[in-house]
Amino acid sequence: MAGIFKAYDVRGLYPGQLNEELAHRIGMAFGHLVELEGDQGAARPRTVVVSRDMRSHSVPLSKALCDGLTAAGLDVVDIGLATTPMNYFATGRLGTAGGIQVTASHNGAEYNGLKFSLAGAVPVSGDHGIPIIEEHALGEEPAPAAAPGRVESRSIEAEYSEYVLSFLDRSFEAGDGPKLRLAADAANGMGTIYRPLLEACGVELLPLYFELDGTFPNHEANPLLPANLRDLSRLVTDSRADLGVSFDGDGDRAAFVDEFGEPIGSDLITALIAGQMLDGEPGGTVIHDIRSSRAVPEYIREHGGTPLPERVGHSFVKATMRRTGAIFGGELAGHYYFRQNYCADSSILAVVAVLNLLRRSGKTLSEITAPLRRYAKSAEINFEVEDKDAAMAALVERYAERQGGSLDRLDGIRIDFDDWWFNVRPSNTEPLLRLVLEATTPEQLAIRQAELTAQLGDPL
């Protein structure tokens, strides 16, 4: 069981680390967390939304979780197979005390997990809530409530479809011109159930791996890895599609490729969507993670917005959005957050936003993206480092103290110079440092990457 309670969720091997017994105990522990969220005795919701992904063991884990929740005295609305954003939506729309999605996202078939939120789809994280769940799930099992809760099965697909399609620009209906050709890779994950929604967006859908299969027979459901985008890129170029999108295992992240099959960094997609949203709400605040290209805050300012950097992690982005009233946020991992969506992330709303942008502009995705390709930027590079603090201190001493770079400690260290910058941040769960850097030219990028690699060791 050790080590499965992560910074943002619970995730581990089934059944060795996460099994039905522990899922039941976690359900009861979540009941305790809901009690703690009570407001000085005021009446609070006593219902939790539960849903699951397509893994075979998600069925018994979901059943055990529901048994634990009802034993704690909570009612359950079981919405069955759903993406994580659908769970967030149901939690917010139904006004429940929280929601739990049974999923291990992009991890392999041997894994499973749980993602939690509280009322209003507010995340439960390592800073707030997960340690409480861990303590009570692994401690002495509490006595069941005097009055157990009940389980109600409910479908929210129709309601969710209506909600998502309300974001679609309806001024471009069929008959106004050729449909956009959208290639979509569901990776055999929960993005599969978005097929009717994508077709309702008025596109010619070219589906790839749209069969639910928790063994992931075609490729890992992680769109961040270039290898997992190859089949999508090939489909885009072979079919002359206008764009492609790849979903992760639980459908909360999306990665895009242009009409040439070239991947587009999620930070650039964040900027594009932000620019469009700022047209309707000038002066709005947009959150971007600290690893984003310098082009992102520049573009947001050019469109009259206020860029605000934030550390990596959905709980941090969502909290800052609520605190500042930000209209939108995005992370390099492919999460896109919408204020109108309970500040929660939604891959399908990002797809709708990109389709709206293409239709309104009349340009190709590569043409729209071109003005943002101002710098040369690396992917995230991982290094195995036992003493992470000492390694970061050495970088601060060399680049900030001796060379005069501007130091920011929002998330790990970020050191900026006029013509380049880098961010190094520690993994929460592994002896890893993660590096991202950017420079004004590819040549400068190569030089600086070689410098940093020599100091940090061989990349993984």
Side-chain angles (χ1 to χ4, degrees):
M1 294 181 189
I4 72 169
F5 291 85
K6 309 292 186 182
Y8 310 118
D9 57 21
V10 170
R11 206 172 301 194
L13 293 166
Y14 176 89
Q17 294 177 307
L18 177 60
N19 52 38
E20 289 81 359
E21 178 185 357
L22 183 55
H24 183 277
R25 294 175 67 94
I26 288 173
M28 295 197 73
F30 191 78
H32 180 78
L33 182 62
V34 168
E35 291 293 339
L36 291 179
E37 289 295 308
D39 184 16
Q40 298 180 352
R44 301 284 291 180
R46 299 286 302 169
T47 303
V48 176
V49 174
V50 172
S51 53
R52 58 181 171 83
D53 71 12
M54 66 288 145
R55 298 163 201 266
S56 60
H57 34 82
S58 292
V59 176
L61 286 175
S62 179
K63 172 65 166 59
L65 174 69
C66 290
D67 289 345
L69 290 166
T70 55
L74 297 173
D75 293 329
V76 172
V77 176
D78 184 353
I79 62 174
L81 281 168
T83 66
T84 296
M86 291 170 69
N87 187 289
Y88 294 150
F89 168 79
T91 300
R93 178 60 64 93
L94 301 179
T96 66
I100 306 176
Q101 170 84 355
V102 180
T103 183
S105 186
H106 65 274
N107 287 117
E110 67 273 25
Y111 286 87
N112 217 315
L114 303 162
K115 292 186 175 182
F116 310 92
S117 63
L118 291 168
V122 172
V124 176
S125 69
D127 288 339
H128 178 75
I130 287 183
I132 295 172
I133 294 174
E134 179 180 14
E135 176 187 355
H136 286 268
L138 300 183
E140 183 177 349
E141 184 169 358
R150 299 178 302 166
V151 178
E152 170 197 356
S153 295
R154 174 171 175 172
S155 172
I156 64 149
E157 288 190 17
E159 192 172 356
Y160 187 64
S161 295
E162 181 182 2
Y163 168 74
V164 170
L165 293 174
S166 71
F167 289 81
L168 186 67
D169 188 338
R170 293 290 189 180
S171 64
F172 298 89
E173 298 291 349
D176 291 345
K179 290 183 176 181
L180 289 172
R181 291 168 61 83
L182 170 65
D185 182 358
N188 301 107
M190 290 311 301
T192 294
I193 66 175
Y194 283 153
R195 181 167 185 163
L197 255 177
L198 293 168
E199 291 172 338
C201 288
V203 300
E204 182 181 344
L205 182 64
L206 306 170
L208 183 65
Y209 308 140
F210 267 63
E211 303 82 26
L212 288 174
D213 189 336
T215 68
F216 304 110
N218 294 292
H219 63 75
E220 183 185 16
N222 182 1
L224 276 192
L225 300 180
N228 297 330
L229 296 177
R230 287 174 188 158
D231 292 351
L232 175 65
S233 294
R234 188 179 304 113
L235 177 60
V236 167
T237 55
D238 289 350
S239 63
R240 298 175 182 260
D242 294 289
L243 73 159
V245 61
S246 179
F247 299 104
D248 72 338
D250 63 331
D252 63 353
R253 294 189 294 137
F256 293 85
V257 302
D258 66 20
E259 72 276 15
F260 299 113
E262 291 296 321
I264 302 170
S266 297
D267 50 350
L268 303 190
I269 294 292
T270 293
L272 289 175
I273 296 175
Q276 180 179 210
M277 295 184 71
L278 287 165
D279 290 342
E281 193 163 341
T285 297
V286 176
I287 311 297
H288 61 91
D289 90 39
I290 195 169
R291 302 166 297 172
S292 298
S293 169
R294 279 180 175 170
V296 175
E298 290 171 357
Y299 190 85
I300 292 168
R301 291 189 190 96
E302 289 162 8
H303 284 74
T306 301
L308 184 61
E310 183 50 85
R311 63 185 297 188
V312 177
H314 77 110
S315 61
F316 304 115
V317 176
K318 291 171 181 176
T320 301
M321 287 186 72
R322 285 185 165 87
R323 177 174 56 81
T324 63
I327 61 175
F328 180 64
E331 287 191 272
L332 206 59
H335 291 279
Y336 305 98
Y337 306 87
F338 298 81
R339 186 181 61 195
Q340 295 167 282
N341 187 52
Y342 309 102
C343 295
D345 36 331
S346 173
S347 60
I348 190 68
L349 287 182
V351 173
V352 169
V354 171
L355 292 176
N356 286 341
L357 186 60
L358 287 172
R359 287 166 169 158
R360 290 167 183 166
S361 70
K363 298 179 179 178
T364 66
L365 191 50
S366 65
E367 289 171 337
I368 294 172
T369 310
L372 283 161
R373 298 187 183 277
R374 305 172 184 181
Y375 306 101
K377 188 164 179 278
S378 76
E380 190 166 68
I381 308 166
N382 292 318
F383 299 85
E384 188 167 344
V385 178
E386 286 299 330
D387 193 339
K388 294 180 279 190
D389 290 338
M392 289 192 294
L395 292 172
V396 169
E397 193 275 335
R398 176 176 179 177
Y399 290 102
E401 296 173 4
R402 284 166 42 196
Q403 297 185 26
S406 175
L407 174 63
D408 188 322
R409 294 188 181 272
L410 176 64
D411 195 350
I413 57 170
R414 173 167 167 152
I415 299 179
D416 279 76
F417 297 90
D418 289 342
D419 56 352
W420 75 290
W421 62 267
F422 71 91
N423 169 244
V424 172
R425 63 187 186 91
S427 166
N428 288 318
T429 57
E430 301 173 276
L432 298 179
L433 286 177
R434 308 189 191 278
L435 165 70
V436 173
L437 66 155
E438 183 177 66
T440 53
T441 67
E443 294 77 16
Q444 172 81 320
L445 179 69
I447 292 169
R448 298 304 183 180
Q449 186 168 324
E451 276 182 18
L452 290 163
T453 299
Q455 188 153 342
L456 291 171
D458 295 330
L460 299 179

